[in-house]
Amino acid sequence: MASSYDFLLTTLAEHIGQHKKILVGFSGGLDSSVLLHLLVRLRTQAHQLSCERIALRAIHIHHGLNPKADLWVEHCRQVCADWQIDFRTEKVELNTRRHGIEAAARNARYHAFQHELQQGEVLMTAQHLDDQAETFLLALKRGSGPAGLSSMPSRMPFAGTTLIRPLLNISRAELEAYAQTQKLPWVEDDSNQDDRYDRNFLRLNIMPLLNQRWPHFPQAVSRSASLCGEQEQLLDELLEESLHSLMTSEGAIAIPPLENSSEAKRNALLRRWLNQCGVKMPAREQLQRIWSEVALARQDAEPRFRVGQQDIRRYRQQLWLVPQYQNLAGSLLEWDLQQELTLPDRLGTLLCAKEKRIENGVQNSIENSMTVRKPNRHEQVTVRFGVQGNISIVGRQHSRHSKKLWQELGVAPWLRERIPLLYYNEQLIAALGVFITKEGQSLPDDEGISVQWQRTTLHT
């Protein structure tokens, strides 16, 4: 059995490499208890060999789902005290509105990990071979492609550092044998016996039958997952140049070249574009709807398709990923020009200062500022959003309808209702950062005012 232990330690050491600061996700269960114990042994070996000491920290996530959760926290705290490991616990709230309990718990867990990670620290979690097989089968149940079937990589970028899963090739039976021999304490989550959850259903009812029929089934599944991962990596490399040529500096992707691609290549490029934008991998049906309902919508339409907390929209023959902004049309804010005005929905602030007129009211030397005429004492100053009708602006001989004007000035449809509009009484004076109306122009030798927009999140 000693050779098995040596193998576990060697495997773990290979995964750690040169990393010396490690945060371990520690549930107190069998898997994470074995991982933490192995790391403690490696730390001891490094100390005995006068090597650089491994700095270990453990974090326990309190999901609040089990009546025994508080007891598990104390168990983990005591284990870490006995093994001289810095211990943290984080209580999380689960958002189950969009996903089930399992997905919500996972999302909350990894969000807590991300928040806790320190500079130069890597995250280590204890998923094993049987977990990998279950993840593969769950992806198969969802109808996933190679990306989903590649399941869990042993190493991946995470929160500006690296997430390492060093036990993915080790079976649960091997971990349990190690734990029993080492007389390790661990907790059992009784909810793992509830087969209403998909993963538990597989673990309790399906995997035993598969393992009985084919004892090496988990290893075979792990190989298939690795091969799917290799295929995805190859596609990433082959399509990297094409994707780069299609994307703009603002992160949009051009539509016309995609029209000339096969459906398979187009879908692959769209998946990688969305992945680079941080969007969860869409289903095939979603990709088809994005293409038919947004990219190929009639030219005068303003289509959108919601993905998560964002919208995919079309503008100037490009697909854009846009946050779901608050509807500001019709909003009205009174503004005392002596005070700073805070704009809604994280749009920033407006400041005002007296200033002599320069160059017909175009943007002056102050970034994001415009010079307009000073209001008279009978004019109320307001800031509004969303404009309709004909507008005459400085530099144009004839008035233009607002929609045509926005188009000519290159303002995307989703930003048009987010441009602060300066009004004196009911007269439009300026669309800040974009244009000044003839009624807002500061005349020669008149004292004007400089309106500065300190933006935060206007653009995508």
Side-chain angles (χ1 to χ4, degrees):
M1 200 70 185
S3 60
S4 296
Y5 301 160
D6 292 343
F7 168 72
L8 289 174
L9 285 171
T10 301
T11 299
L12 185 57
E14 290 174 351
H15 278 91
I16 291 176
Q18 299 302 310
H19 298 295
K20 298 301 179 184
K21 296 177 64 177
I22 300 169
L23 176 67
V24 181
F26 184 38
S27 68
L30 168 69
D31 317 332
S32 60
S33 297
V34 170
L35 174 60
L36 200 58
H37 187 263
L38 288 168
L39 286 166
V40 169
R41 292 183 63 186
L42 280 181
R43 183 182 64 181
T44 302
Q45 286 185 1
H47 178 70
Q48 292 172 346
L49 296 173
S50 300
C51 298
E52 185 179 351
R53 183 178 175 87
I54 298 174
L56 281 180
R57 296 196 310 130
I59 179 171
H60 176 86
I61 308 302
H62 188 316
H63 297 95
L65 295 174
N66 195 294
K68 300 177 182 177
D70 291 335
L71 296 176
W72 297 342
V73 172
E74 292 310 311
H75 166 84
C76 293
R77 191 189 310 278
Q78 186 59 54
V79 168
C80 288
D82 293 342
W83 294 349
Q84 298 180 343
I85 297 170
D86 183 16
F87 176 74
R88 292 292 304 274
T89 183
E90 186 74 26
K91 194 166 187 176
V92 297
E93 294 184 4
L94 305 187
N95 181 2
T96 59
R97 288 177 298 177
R98 299 182 62 87
H99 306 286
I101 291 179
E102 291 175 287
R106 183 186 184 281
N107 291 339
R109 188 161 58 247
Y110 279 89
H111 181 76
F113 291 158
Q114 179 177 351
H115 182 265
E116 179 62 28
L117 278 163
Q118 296 179 356
Q119 183 71 28
E121 199 170 45
V122 296
L123 174 64
M124 200 166 280
T125 57
Q127 291 92 348
H128 50 72
L129 183 65
D130 301 76
D131 293 328
Q132 183 77 305
E134 292 161 9
T135 300
F136 183 94
L137 292 177
L138 288 170
L140 196 64
K141 184 265 296 183
R142 292 192 299 267
S144 299
L149 294 174
S150 62
S151 303
M152 296 180 287
S154 61
R155 179 182 296 263
M156 62 179 288
F158 177 78
T161 179
T162 304
L163 166 59
I164 302 174
R165 301 182 178 101
L167 304 181
L168 280 182
N169 290 322
I170 311 299
S171 70
R172 190 184 192 281
E174 290 175 290
L175 297 179
E176 187 169 356
Y178 175 90
Q180 290 175 345
T181 302
Q182 296 290 318
K183 296 182 172 55
L184 300 184
W186 73 84
V187 298
E188 291 285 359
D189 185 348
D190 50 13
S191 68
N192 289 335
Q193 302 304 311
D194 186 350
D195 64 5
R196 290 177 299 174
Y197 300 116
D198 289 345
R199 186 175 289 274
N200 289 348
F201 176 79
L202 287 174
R203 182 177 300 156
L204 298 172
N205 303 315
I206 305 301
M207 292 301 296
L209 291 175
L210 294 173
N211 289 331
Q212 181 180 357
R213 175 79 179 191
W214 301 294
H216 298 292
F217 181 80
Q219 288 86 346
V221 169
S222 181
R223 285 195 298 272
S224 293
S226 296
L227 289 172
C228 288
E230 288 181 9
Q231 293 299 309
E232 280 298 293
Q233 183 178 351
L234 177 60
L235 276 176
D236 286 343
E237 295 174 6
L238 293 175
L239 293 175
E240 182 179 8
E241 186 175 341
S242 295
L243 182 61
H244 181 74
S245 69
L246 293 176
M247 289 182 62
T248 69
S249 59
E250 292 105 337
I253 187 169
I255 294 173
L258 291 173
E259 293 182 283
N260 299 322
S261 300
S262 67
E263 182 180 1
K265 184 176 181 180
R266 181 175 68 238
N267 287 345
L269 286 166
L270 287 174
R271 285 192 185 99
R272 280 155 181 80
W273 170 61
L274 291 170
N275 183 61
Q276 284 198 14
C277 296
V279 175
K280 185 179 178 180
M281 191 67 69
R284 185 177 183 182
E285 179 188 11
Q286 288 179 303
L287 284 178
Q288 291 172 340
R289 291 186 60 191
I290 290 168
W291 185 249
S292 62
E293 297 176 17
V294 182
L296 301 184
R298 69 180 192 274
Q299 291 302 308
D300 61 344
E302 294 182 3
R304 70 178 71 185
F305 186 89
R306 181 161 297 183
V307 286
Q309 300 300 311
Q310 297 173 290
D311 288 329
I312 295 177
R313 305 192 60 162
R314 185 189 65 191
Y315 178 61
R316 292 189 167 179
Q317 287 299 293
Q318 296 167 348
L319 291 176
W320 295 70
L321 195 67
V322 181
Q324 291 175 15
Y325 293 126
Q326 177 183 334
N327 183 8
L328 300 178
S331 300
L332 184 150
L333 306 172
E334 294 185 8
W335 187 17
D336 176 357
L337 296 181
Q338 304 300 316
Q339 305 293 325
E340 179 178 291
L341 179 67
T342 299
L343 298 173
D345 203 26
R346 306 181 310 279
L347 276 175
T349 58
L350 298 182
L351 302 170
C352 176
K354 292 182 180 180
E355 185 172 302
K356 291 290 184 179
R357 169 193 171 276
I358 56 170
E359 295 300 324
N360 290 330
V362 297
Q363 291 191 3
N364 63 14
S365 58
I366 301 177
E367 185 180 2
N368 293 331
S369 67
M370 306 182 86
T371 300
V372 297
R373 72 172 177 87
K374 183 180 179 181
N376 63 50
R377 61 180 181 174
H378 301 297
E379 290 180 316
Q380 181 188 38
V381 180
T382 58
V383 173
R384 311 180 189 188
F385 298 89
V387 62
Q388 297 291 331
N390 292 330
I391 304 172
S392 296
I393 70 171
V394 173
R396 300 286 182 93
Q397 184 176 359
H398 301 289
S399 65
R400 298 286 282 166
H401 191 273
S402 56
K403 184 174 182 179
K404 293 290 186 181
L405 187 58
W406 289 128
Q407 291 173 346
E408 292 172 8
L409 295 174
V411 179
W414 56 90
L415 296 179
R416 294 170 190 173
E417 292 182 358
R418 298 180 64 77
I419 303 292
L421 305 173
L422 182 65
Y423 276 78
Y424 296 167
N425 288 340
E426 296 303 313
Q427 181 64 59
L428 176 63
I429 299 301
L432 299 181
V434 184
F435 63 76
I436 296 173
T437 66
K438 292 180 177 178
E439 293 81 2
Q441 184 178 6
S442 180
L443 299 176
D445 301 323
D446 284 350
E447 184 181 46
I449 58 171
S450 173
V451 180
Q452 183 178 1
W453 180 11
Q454 296 183 344
R455 312 187 194 199
T456 51
T457 58
L458 172 65
H459 297 291
T460 60

